[in-house]
Amino acid sequence: MSAGKVTDGRIDVFIDGEKVRCPPGTNLIDLVEGMGKEIPHYCYHPKLSVSGNCRMCLVELGTPAMDRETGKPVLDEDGAPKIMYFPNPVIACATRLTSGMRVRTQSAKVRECREAVLEFLLINHPLDCPICDQAGECLLQEFATDYGRGYSRFIEKKVVKPKRTVLGPRVMLDDERCILCSRCVRFCQEVVEDDVLGFVDRGTYTTLTCYPGKQLENNYSLNTVDICPVGALTSRDFRFRMRVWFLKETPSICTESSVGVNTLVGSREGKVYRITPRRNDGVNDTWMSDSGRALYKRIEDENRLIDFRVNRLPVRPEDALSEALRRLQGDKVAFVGSGQSSVEEHFLFNCLSRAAGSVLNCLVSRTREGDGFLISNDANPNVRGALCLGFIDTLPEANLTGLAEKINRGEVDAVVVHNEDLTTAGIGRSLLEKVEVIYLGSHGNGASETASVVIPGLTVFEKSGTFINQQFRLQKFLQAVPGPPGVLDDLVTISRLLNLLGKDEGRLATPAAVWAVLSRRLKCFEGISFDTLPETGALLDGSAFRSLPFCEGPSLHFEPETGTVEARA
Amino acid sequence: MAVKILKRRPLSLLEKTYLPQILIGLKITLRNLFRPSVTLQYPEERPDIPEGYRGVPTLVKDANGREKCVACQLCEFVCPPRAIRITSRELETGGEDAHIEKAPDEFEIDMLRCIYCGYCQEVCPEEAIWLQDVFSISGYSREAMVFDKEKLYQLGGTLPDNHFKWDRKKAEEEAAKRH
Amino acid sequence: MDVFKILGITAKALVVVLVLLSLSNLAILAERKVSSWIQGRVGPNRTALPIIGAIPFLGAGLTRLGLFQPLADGLKLLLKEDPVPDHVNKFYYFLAPVAAFIPAVTAITVLPFGEIVRNGTPRPIVLADLDIGILFIFAVASLGVYGVILAGWASNSKYPFLGGIRASAQMISYELALGLSILPVFMWTNAPGSQAGLNLFAVVQGQEHFWNVFWMPVSALLFLVAIFAETNRLPFDMAESESELVSGFSTEYGSFKFGLFFLAEYAHIVVGSGVFTVLFLGGWRLPFIASYYSGGMTGAVLSVLVFCAKTFLVVFLFMWVRWTLPRFRYDQIMKLGWTVMLPLSLLNIIGYALFLAVWDGI
Ligand code: SF4
Ligand code: SF4
Ligand code: SF4
Ligand code: SF4
Ligand code: FES
């Protein structure tokens, strides 16, 4: 609605007497938020349609009076336009601004409205805050602190509604806490088009329910928990596990697919408890998939690698590194990188492959059917990083036939593998046994089992770095929790190996240091530094790779370059 | 700000010898010599613990023997030296207290860290944690000074509850079901 | 001299020294009790001996008074591990406590503490009735400071060192006033024609009717202050000043060696009090009662008891002052010593000389 009306001609509006310029038709709540102030609201959500049912956002609104005959503004004695205030407050969420509008967001009347609305919202609300998972990030709590009266005048019996209703495999509903804002209903209808939620009964008995015989089970169901302004919808995974005020939220990037969903990782004392989406209007808006939220469980996976091993025996880190070095010094070394590695790791890995005189660099592809929304067809989050750095110049393949051939012909006698399982990538165990494998990675797999040197690494939650998503958007993630004790950051490991090989790059063990070099060395990264990279990422010029047949189809905020889809087919 | 300089009164000759002052001091200490001592002979004599004394923090149960704490972790949050550690669990449906939904699985207070500030008692929305009259605790190791849930309930006992919030809630729920 | 006489004298000396040491020990207990009473506490009241402590009433009373405490303390100091820091000068480090202890107990030899009437002539009860008694006492007592200085220096660490330096400076400053302040006493005792000399017995005899303290209050006061300074007692405990110098000269000492220092300090106090009693409080005499100690042995015991009582009153004064006054600053002590005590004692002598001249003239 709004996008169509935005023109270059901006208008002047007055918020609490302060003059602001904005495009005509801007939503009042969004505008005020942009000013660093707040109009309390429940049902409005910037990415959903306006329903205007909670009435929390009432403000006083006035427009310049127009002379009906001339169509000119009426002026008062001072020559200023005369303002006609609406006799009753109006809801801000449904207000699109026009020129000269005046808004009072702090007047006594507005305050009174908010207090009244809040009192009504609270009459049937349970005294659940001590056991409610939303407590601490609950809009009802927040506005009750600002506008609540502190005690209840309601002496009748409260309406009792079902608690602990299972809505789906991941979502639990407490109907008593629901304030009937319908955000969840609209989300299901408008965003995922899985229309399963709705209200039944009337008046104070109105209850949110699932369509009989259906469940809220789509892969985006947990977004309803995020947008629910109160604690009515809770995540069954996170439920009662940790209070939100203990969580340290670290900006991160979801590794589920090449969409590069922006996330916040909530951790306390080195343990991750939940992952929530971070708003990025160019990538994922405010959504993320349920499957992406479960990825943190890999941190404590059973097959997590924590020991440095040589020939399956635990050794000291230095010994593992020198053993790795000995095998690197031969002249028949191949390198298998990973689409899950960060840009920085690709860079150093590439340096290492050059320093070791690699006979072959390759990457393993991970394609699958995406959902056209926030999961793309490519499960590798950073293939474009490897391309930009020149580690590979063709797209990754599912079967590393080239490597297999070279091994068969005896042209390769050592393979450095970063995080990939070669046994599922066309190189069987018998073939692997012909070469020495140096495995560097966070989790064990078929390759690590046959490897002669295993060096443990970190997961995305335990390190900092950058990914380049399908839009060629460079996005950064930061370390949320420390890695297992003794395990080195992959950057440190690779740069030490470089050091041992006598290369200068050996000192680049942090993303910031790597970027200081990258921005100088590579044209497409010019002017970028790790520390100043915006939270929303930076779009790079990917035109050099236009001819490559990338596998991604269209998804939210992404249209594949013309031609590539046919090329895929 | 105006600076006011106060002049010291010069000492008189007698005062300069300090002798009268010393004699006055001696008089005071002599008087004290004959005053009864204020020492409490501790292990035999015990102090009277006044109302509102902030002893060891303890967990209490209500009159029905139900554990009051619902593991909201506010005390853990507010505790300045971070002496409290709580892990919570969900109460199974069907049980007597199922309507409360949440309870502490483990509740530990490190008494070596606790500074007896009473914030936990003040913040607790369920009036479940109380600083009562226990003031003398000891242990042979650091671990022994980390009191677990069982020990805390043992120290806390039962305190009268004026609200019975959860019992009322249950009654309301059952009344609604009958309709 | 025959052997028996020597043995007899040795035995006598041993008894006196032992009594002095027990008194010092008692003084330590008294200090703890007095301080706690002044501060509204109860002081040591728990230590009990198994059998004596179990006697009804008496045992409980003794326990409450803390009378067994000195025993326990002494034993503890004896049995404790005796660490010797690496950095000390071993020889002097070991010498220092002895050097502090010996003078303290030696001074008692010439101090008369009673009289016995034999064949109608009163004789002093004393280990050695020296004609130059007071001189001997001063000479020996000021040796005590060597112990402190030695300890400070041998410890080879900064706080003891500072303590030692302060002690020596203080000692020099107050020794002058000490000596000068008692001259009037001997001027008075050595009236024209008498043969008293510097004998202490004669001083007591001279106070038959009236104690010197009433004749010469200024002398008494000066002497008292100087004695405080000499014994390193608060408000003059520069050598220790635990609030600035940890524990002053004895910081590096522990267990028995520390015990010796401690005992020496209190022996000093007891002897100092005794000297004050002899010089100014009439020794074992009570005012206006001329000579009632004529009755042989009984009189002798009585006189000793009276002397002890007076001495203990002075010891109490020491403690009383200690728990009343704060410590002086080092520069204040120096100033007091040189600009007040010294001139005042000189003036005092001149004043008395004039006074005696006029008196004798009458
Ligand atoms: S929804 Fe908000 S106000 Fe209601 S119980 Fe939960 S935290 Fe409290
Ligand atoms: S469950 Fe939450 S989001 Fe849905 S209507 Fe109720 S309050 Fe709104
Ligand atoms: S009394 Fe204070 S320090 Fe002790 S547990 Fe409670 S909040 Fe923590
Ligand atoms: S504040 Fe009270 S209810 Fe909450 S966890 Fe602590 S003791 Fe339990
Ligand atoms: S936000 Fe405007 S009515 Fe709910």
Side-chain angles (χ1 to χ4, degrees):
Chain A
M1 263 190 285
S2 63
K5 281 195 191 168
V6 174
T7 59
D8 286 333
R10 301 185 141 218
I11 52 165
D12 285 343
V13 293
F14 299 83
I15 313 288
D16 296 325
E18 193 183 328
K19 184 165 153 184
V20 193
R21 309 211 80 187
C22 67
T26 306
N27 183 293
L28 179 52
I29 290 188
D30 290 346
L31 178 77
V32 172
E33 189 176 302
M35 292 166 66
K37 295 205 270 181
E38 184 182 37
I39 297 177
H41 59 275
Y42 290 119
C43 68
Y44 175 72
H45 188 277
K47 300 292 173 192
L48 298 175
S49 64
V50 173
S51 75
N53 60 28
C54 74
R55 317 311 283 181
M56 191 62 194
C57 63
L58 289 170
V59 290
E60 282 190 85
L61 187 70
T63 49
M66 295 288 176
D67 193 318
R68 294 224 175 140
E69 278 150 29
T70 59
K72 292 249 168 63
V74 182
L75 301 183
D76 61 11
E77 302 92 71
D78 307 336
K82 194 164 172 228
I83 303 296
M84 305 277 285
Y85 275 94
F86 290 81
N88 289 325
V90 301
I91 50 173
C93 62
T95 301
R96 309 258 155 212
L97 292 163
T98 58
S99 183
M101 267 190 179
R102 314 251 159 169
V103 184
R104 295 192 191 133
T105 68
Q106 303 294 336
S107 65
K109 196 173 186 180
V110 169
R111 207 188 150 81
E112 215 177 294
C113 291
R114 290 176 187 165
E115 284 169 2
V117 168
L118 205 72
E119 193 169 7
F120 272 117
L121 282 177
L122 287 176
I123 53 173
N124 274 319
H125 201 81
L127 287 168
D128 268 359
C129 297
I131 56 162
C132 177
D133 271 322
Q134 191 81 0
E137 52 182 16
C138 171
L139 291 180
L140 199 55
Q141 270 187 332
E142 278 170 31
F143 298 143
T145 325
D146 295 343
Y147 304 104
R149 60 172 56 240
Y151 64 95
S152 173
R153 293 191 288 178
F154 187 71
I155 49 168
E156 287 78 11
K157 276 221 152 50
K158 286 192 173 191
V159 175
V160 177
K161 288 186 194 173
K163 295 175 93 73
R164 281 206 248 198
T165 311
V166 175
L167 278 191
R170 290 173 294 279
V171 183
M172 191 90 123
L173 167 70
D174 185 321
D175 259 316
E176 281 190 347
R177 298 180 194 152
C178 172
I179 57 167
L180 307 170
C181 71
S182 83
R183 274 184 180 185
C184 53
V185 179
R186 278 174 285 149
F187 173 81
C188 289
Q189 286 171 346
E190 298 164 14
V191 180
V192 285
E193 292 165 8
D194 178 23
D195 193 1
V196 292
L197 295 180
F199 295 123
V200 294
D201 291 345
R202 291 203 278 172
T204 50
Y205 294 98
T206 312
T207 309
L208 179 78
T209 32
C210 225
Y211 188 85
K214 285 202 180 177
Q215 277 200 319
L216 177 61
E217 57 189 346
N218 63 64
N219 196 23
Y220 291 90
S221 64
L222 282 172
N223 289 300
T224 60
V225 175
D226 294 334
I227 59 173
C228 179
V230 292
L233 296 175
T234 48
S235 154
R236 292 175 72 183
D237 178 39
F238 181 63
R239 194 172 153 89
F240 295 161
R241 283 188 61 219
M242 189 43 69
R243 306 312 310 248
V244 294
W245 52 74
F246 287 119
L247 296 182
K248 178 186 82 173
E249 305 220 292
T250 315
S252 187
I253 301 293
C254 182
T255 54
E256 192 184 15
S257 78
S258 59
V259 170
V261 168
N262 291 209
T263 60
L264 284 175
V265 178
S267 63
R268 182 188 184 202
E269 290 172 356
K271 190 165 155 55
V272 176
Y273 286 92
R274 70 169 181 188
I275 300 178
T276 48
R278 176 161 55 97
R279 182 168 173 177
N280 186 340
D281 290 345
V283 181
N284 57 317
D285 287 351
T286 57
W287 322 122
M288 88 176 277
S289 65
D290 293 0
S291 40
R293 296 181 201 239
L295 289 182
Y296 75 88
K297 296 190 173 153
R298 275 174 55 79
I299 298 177
E300 282 170 12
D301 207 299
E302 269 179 10
N303 62 355
R304 187 75 204 265
L305 295 177
I306 45 173
D307 293 328
F308 292 78
R309 284 174 186 268
V310 171
N311 297 328
R312 290 174 200 83
L313 296 175
V315 293
R316 290 181 307 154
E318 309 87 82
D319 298 341
L321 287 181
S322 53
E323 283 296 314
L325 179 74
R326 200 167 56 74
R327 290 164 173 83
L328 276 176
Q329 277 161 339
D331 50 4
K332 295 178 181 170
V333 195
F335 281 75
V336 181
S338 166
Q340 318 247 16
S341 308
S342 68
V343 170
E344 298 77 10
E345 285 159 9
H346 279 315
F347 170 70
L348 287 185
F349 208 59
N350 196 19
C351 293
L352 189 68
S353 76
R354 279 203 217 125
S358 164
V359 293
L360 181 72
N361 284 351
C362 48
L363 222 58
V364 183
S365 72
R366 280 198 182 78
T367 46
R368 47 109 196 265
E369 190 65 39
D371 62 4
F373 184 50
L374 287 177
I375 299 179
S376 70
N377 295 344
D378 189 353
N380 272 335
N382 196 22
V383 170
R384 284 162 180 79
L387 287 169
C388 288
L389 283 155
F391 179 71
I392 47 171
D393 44 21
T394 56
L395 284 184
E397 322 140 26
N399 281 318
L400 303 176
T401 41
L403 183 61
E405 266 169 36
K406 281 205 157 56
I407 294 178
N408 268 332
R409 272 186 270 141
E411 287 169 27
V412 168
D413 58 11
V415 187
V416 184
V417 185
H418 196 198
N419 260 325
E420 291 293 353
D421 186 1
L422 297 185
T423 53
T424 59
I427 308 208
R429 255 167 220 271
S430 52
L431 205 54
L432 264 191
E433 256 140 41
K434 292 190 187 167
V435 290
E436 301 244 41
V437 176
I438 300 165
Y439 183 81
L440 174 59
S442 55
H443 290 77
N445 54 29
S448 71
E449 277 158 26
T450 49
S452 45
V453 180
V454 173
I455 298 174
L458 299 180
T459 64
V460 66
F461 305 102
E462 295 155 346
K463 59 190 179 189
S464 302
T466 49
F467 287 141
I468 300 177
N469 80 350
Q470 57 183 358
Q471 308 159 317
F472 279 95
R473 185 187 291 265
L474 181 71
Q475 307 192 97
K476 92 174 148 185
F477 57 92
L478 297 180
Q479 182 189 28
V481 292
V487 173
L488 298 179
D489 192 324
D490 303 44
L491 287 184
V492 175
T493 308
I494 307 175
S495 60
R496 281 218 193 143
L497 284 175
L498 273 170
N499 229 358
L500 292 172
L501 277 174
K503 291 293 158 186
D504 200 26
E505 261 84 17
R507 263 168 275 139
L508 304 178
T510 64
V514 170
W515 274 100
V517 174
L518 273 183
S519 60
R520 262 186 284 119
R521 232 182 255 181
L522 285 173
K523 185 123 179 42
C524 57
F525 296 140
E526 218 166 11
I528 293 174
S529 86
F530 187 72
D531 294 331
T532 57
L533 188 66
E535 292 239 309
T536 49
L539 274 176
L540 305 175
D541 178 17
S543 51
F545 306 100
R546 186 169 290 156
S547 56
L548 289 179
F550 289 113
C551 63
E552 287 96 348
S555 60
L556 189 66
H557 301 297
F558 178 71
E559 277 302 324
E561 297 274 344
T562 42
T564 52
V565 184
E566 289 91 276
R568 178 161 54 102
Chain B
M1 207 170 60
V3 176
K4 196 170 172 190
I5 297 177
L6 293 178
K7 281 244 159 49
R8 279 191 191 220
R9 188 173 59 82
L11 299 179
S12 70
L13 194 64
L14 197 61
E15 281 169 341
K16 273 187 191 157
T17 64
Y18 296 124
L19 290 178
Q21 276 66 35
I22 290 179
L23 289 180
I24 292 171
L26 287 175
K27 206 174 91 190
I28 292 173
T29 43
L30 189 66
R31 211 182 312 130
N32 272 348
L33 196 65
F34 296 106
R35 287 219 180 110
S37 84
V38 295
T39 307
L40 192 76
Q41 295 295 327
Y42 171 63
E44 295 94 27
E45 296 170 32
R46 296 280 173 149
D48 286 335
I49 304 291
E51 187 88 357
Y53 179 83
R54 298 202 308 245
V56 170
T58 62
L59 289 177
V60 301
K61 300 195 166 165
D62 75 358
N64 306 334
R66 179 185 73 79
E67 63 176 337
K68 282 178 142 194
C69 173
V70 297
C72 74
Q73 296 182 308
L74 277 174
C75 50
E76 182 175 358
F77 181 67
V78 82
C79 178
R82 305 198 183 169
I84 305 182
R85 272 288 119 148
I86 301 169
T87 44
S88 47
R89 84 193 136 98
E90 182 166 1
L91 291 168
E92 296 300 320
T93 44
E96 178 73 4
D97 295 331
H99 60 297
I100 304 172
E101 296 186 65
K102 196 179 175 189
D105 193 26
E106 192 39 84
F107 196 120
E108 287 177 347
I109 303 185
D110 187 341
M111 294 301 175
L112 294 174
R113 283 189 158 210
C114 175
I115 55 172
Y116 307 101
C117 62
Y119 282 7
C120 48
Q121 176 178 349
E122 200 172 319
V123 81
C124 179
E126 302 287 332
E127 304 190 348
I129 190 165
W130 288 79
L131 275 69
Q132 298 189 54
D133 56 359
V134 183
F135 57 85
S136 160
I137 48 170
S138 50
Y140 284 107
S141 64
R142 281 169 186 277
E143 292 71 40
M145 294 301 282
V146 179
F147 286 13
D148 61 6
K149 199 168 88 170
E150 195 184 330
K151 182 125 194 207
L152 291 169
Y153 274 121
Q154 197 184 319
L155 284 175
T158 300
L159 276 194
D161 180 336
N162 301 324
H163 311 299
F164 291 104
K165 163 178 142 187
W166 293 104
D167 292 351
R168 285 218 314 266
K169 171 134 197 163
K170 192 169 189 179
E172 274 170 21
E173 228 174 84
E174 266 149 26
K177 259 185 227 151
R178 277 200 296 277
H179 283 297
Chain C
M1 266 201 255
D2 59 87
V3 181
F4 289 108
K5 200 158 180 203
I6 295 179
L7 277 183
I9 290 174
T10 314
K12 233 169 43 178
L14 262 181
V15 168
V16 170
V17 166
L18 280 181
V19 168
L20 172 68
L21 290 187
S22 339
L23 285 185
S24 308
N25 253 326
L26 272 185
I28 295 176
L29 172 67
E31 172 113 85
R32 295 180 65 178
K33 277 298 196 186
V34 167
S35 68
S36 57
W37 287 332
I38 283 179
Q39 294 169 348
R41 301 183 280 115
V42 288
N45 68 344
R46 298 252 157 194
T47 322
L49 275 185
I51 295 170
I52 309 174
I55 302 172
F57 299 112
L58 178 73
L62 291 183
T63 308
R64 286 204 55 178
L65 268 180
L67 273 179
F68 304 122
Q69 189 68 33
L71 256 179
D73 286 353
L75 262 180
K76 181 196 77 175
L77 286 177
L78 257 178
L79 298 181
K80 254 174 91 158
E81 187 193 347
D82 185 5
V84 179
D86 271 346
H87 53 77
V88 300
N89 183 325
K90 296 269 157 39
F91 179 69
Y92 293 112
Y93 179 78
F94 280 91
L95 188 62
V98 183
F101 183 71
I102 289 180
V105 288
T106 312
I108 192 81
T109 47
V110 295
L111 189 73
F113 43 86
E115 73 169 34
I116 186 162
V117 183
R118 276 209 190 120
N119 314 326
T121 29
R123 306 269 309 275
I125 307 180
V126 66
L127 284 180
D129 187 17
L130 280 193
D131 275 348
I132 51 159
I134 191 70
L135 218 53
F136 180 82
I137 287 188
F138 281 1
V140 169
S142 44
L143 283 180
V145 75
Y146 285 105
V148 174
I149 297 172
L150 220 50
W153 181 80
S155 291
N156 198 6
S157 113
K158 57 189 165 192
Y159 295 122
F161 184 64
L162 284 174
I165 291 197
R166 287 180 176 191
S168 55
Q170 180 186 326
M171 194 65 69
I172 293 168
S173 319
Y174 283 78
E175 200 119 293
L176 287 170
L178 183 74
L180 291 176
S181 66
I182 55 157
L183 281 187
V185 175
F186 289 91
M187 280 153 72
W188 174 251
T189 314
N190 288 287
S194 88
Q195 292 293 310
L198 297 180
N199 191 309
L200 288 169
F201 183 60
V203 175
V204 178
Q205 297 301 61
Q207 300 179 66
E208 205 159 325
H209 300 292
F210 216 46
W211 296 353
N212 281 345
V213 68
F214 300 115
W215 288 116
M216 5 186 154
V218 180
S219 285
L221 184 67
L222 286 173
F223 183 75
L224 194 66
V225 173
I227 279 271
F228 268 101
E230 286 291 289
T231 51
N232 280 325
R233 287 290 293 187
L234 223 98
F236 297 98
D237 69 334
M238 273 303 107
E240 209 171 311
S241 39
E242 69 277 345
S243 52
E244 325 157 16
L245 298 186
V246 188
S247 188
F249 68 96
S250 62
T251 304
E252 307 282 356
Y253 283 87
S255 85
F256 193 56
K257 292 199 283 302
F258 172 76
L260 279 185
F261 277 125
F262 209 53
L263 211 57
E265 183 185 334
Y266 282 88
H268 253 305
I269 292 168
V270 174
V271 174
S273 306
V275 174
F276 188 79
T277 310
V278 164
L279 290 181
F280 292 101
L281 296 183
W284 46 88
R285 294 193 173 276
L286 293 171
F288 307 118
I289 305 170
S291 178
Y292 65 103
Y293 297 129
S294 44
M297 234 20 214
T298 343
V301 171
L302 254 181
S303 69
V304 171
L305 285 182
V306 169
F307 180 83
C308 284
K310 284 187 190 176
T311 307
F312 252 79
L313 273 181
V314 182
V315 170
F316 170 72
L317 181 70
F318 267 85
M319 292 165 186
W320 186 13
V321 168
R322 170 169 180 185
W323 297 104
T324 304
L325 296 184
R327 176 184 305 117
F328 278 117
R329 229 167 43 214
Y330 181 59
D331 63 314
Q332 288 171 331
I333 285 191
M334 287 295 121
K335 212 169 131 198
L336 182 73
W338 291 103
T339 66
V340 179
M341 298 283 287
L342 188 58
L344 205 59
S345 47
L346 285 172
L347 278 181
N348 185 33
I349 294 174
I350 296 169
Y352 260 95
L354 289 178
F355 168 74
L356 285 182
V358 174
W359 178 272
D360 285 350
I362 294 172

